[in-house]
């Protein structure tokens, strides 16, 4: 989605979409926790599946709920918004079936002792 936002809306919109993933590298997270003085650090990547009626529904909902992304996209032209949704839907089509979109997402979970 971030790349589609870069192409159809603005670089700033793409940056906003990337922000939640800036701590995606488990090795960096683990090092930060250890460097902060924690021990017995355990990092676990967990994958969950997020269900939506369609890729289009996912894209529209995500954009509408994320401030200031929703404001930036709302200010774009109708043509740009349609192209954005079509681009993301095409990219996510491999996760769609007759029952909807099943999008795998991962999160890093850290446990440690002080």
């Amino acid at each position: 989605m971030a790349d589609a936002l870069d192409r159809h809306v603005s670089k700033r919109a793409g940056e906003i979409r990337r922000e939640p993933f800036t701590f995606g590298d488990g090795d960096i997270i683990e090092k930060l926790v250890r460097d902060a003085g924690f021990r017995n650090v355990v990092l676990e990547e967990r994958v969950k599946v997020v269900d939506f009626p369609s890729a289009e529904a996912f894209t529209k909902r995500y954009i509408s709920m994320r401030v200031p992304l929703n404001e930036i996209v709302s200010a774009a032209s109708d043509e740009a918004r349609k192209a954005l949704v079509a681009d993301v839907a095409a990219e996510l089509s491999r996760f769609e079936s007759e029952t909807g979109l099943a999008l795998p997402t991962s999160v890093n979970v850290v446990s440690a002792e002080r």
Side-chain angles (χ1 to χ4, degrees), residues 20-50:
F21 304 99
T22 56
F23 259 148
D25 186 328
D27 293 335
I28 293 173
I29 296 169
E30 189 171 350
K31 182 179 180 338
L32 287 169
V33 173
R34 287 185 194 285
D35 290 351
F38 290 88
R39 56 185 166 67
N40 297 329
V41 177
V42 176
L43 183 121
E44 180 182 350
E45 181 182 9
R46 295 187 186 163
V47 177
K48 296 190 137 218
V49 175
V50 180

Side-chain angles (χ1 to χ4, degrees), residues 49-79:
V49 175
V50 180
D51 296 309
F52 282 88
S54 67
E56 181 178 338
F58 164 76
T59 304
K60 288 179 177 180
R61 179 174 282 170
Y62 184 88
I63 290 169
S64 71
M65 294 175 60
R66 184 81 201 275
V67 178
L69 185 58
N70 58 0
E71 297 165 349
I72 295 170
V73 174
S74 292
S77 69
D78 286 341
E79 182 179 288

